[in-house]
């Protein structure tokens, strides 16, 4: 059974940094397409960053500020978030795709992922 457990997040002032971590059990981060999404009330879950076949994907809103990484020894996927803005405030989710390789655009869609972490609140405010 695949499970994703998230840690990190919290409150930070604008311009600050936070790190999110997603620990995977029942699968391996090195063999899976994974991603971070975020969601604010009343809106759909939004793609933030992901990794597919060793290639990192990033939403334009976070490019240059957020960095996704994997630790194969710990079987974790992390999201380092720098230069945070109030508009980054959301609940952040990690996700894992168990299905076969598919077209690149699918990886930006939450429906393409099969397993989800519990969600972590990130609040950026002064």
């Amino acid at each position: 059974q695949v499970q994703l457990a998230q840690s990190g997040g919290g409150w930070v002032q604008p311009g600050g940094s936070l790190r999110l971590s997603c620990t995977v059990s029942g699968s391996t981060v090195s063999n899976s397409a994974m991603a971070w999404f975020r969601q604010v009330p009343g809106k759909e879950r939004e793609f933030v960053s992901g990794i597919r076949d060793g290639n990192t994907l990033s939403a334009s809103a976070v490019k240059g500020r957020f960095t996704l990484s994997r630790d194969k020894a710990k079987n974790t996927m992390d999201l380092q978030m720098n230069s945070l803005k109030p508009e980054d405030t959301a609940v952040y989710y990690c996700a894992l795709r168990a299905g076969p390789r598919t077209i690149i655009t699918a990886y930006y869609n939450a429906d393409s992922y099969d397993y989800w972490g519990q969600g972590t609140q990130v609040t950026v405010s002064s």
Side-chain angles (χ1 to χ4, degrees):
Q1 182 180 0
V2 178
Q3 293 185 324
L4 280 61
Q6 296 180 222
S7 60
W11 172 84
V12 68
Q13 291 185 334
S17 298
L18 287 172
R19 189 176 185 90
L20 305 180
S21 186
C22 178
T23 301
V24 178
S25 58
S27 186
T28 57
V29 297
S30 57
N31 294 333
S32 303
M34 297 188 66
W36 289 97
F37 286 77
R38 65 188 181 187
Q39 190 170 25
V40 297
K43 292 191 176 182
E44 292 187 352
R45 206 161 285 191
E46 174 191 32
F47 176 86
V48 175
S49 185
I51 187 160
R52 163 191 179 262
D53 294 338
N55 297 310
T56 302
L57 312 171
S58 290
S60 56
V62 306
K63 198 166 290 185
R65 300 189 297 122
F66 291 12
T67 303
L68 183 152
S69 62
R70 294 181 300 183
D71 187 324
K72 297 177 183 179
K74 295 180 180 179
N75 212 33
T76 60
M77 177 182 69
D78 292 350
L79 185 68
Q80 178 65 41
M81 304 183 292
N82 298 328
S83 302
L84 281 160
K85 304 175 181 180
E87 52 264 42
D88 295 319
T89 295
V91 177
Y92 284 70
Y93 297 89
C94 64
L96 183 148
R97 173 177 169 83
R101 194 170 183 268
T102 185
I103 58 174
I104 187 69
T105 53
Y107 294 89
Y108 294 87
N109 189 328
D111 292 339
S112 297
Y113 294 85
D114 305 287
Y115 300 95
W116 292 86
Q118 77 275 22
T120 301
Q121 177 69 45
V122 170
T123 302
V124 185
S125 71
S126 54

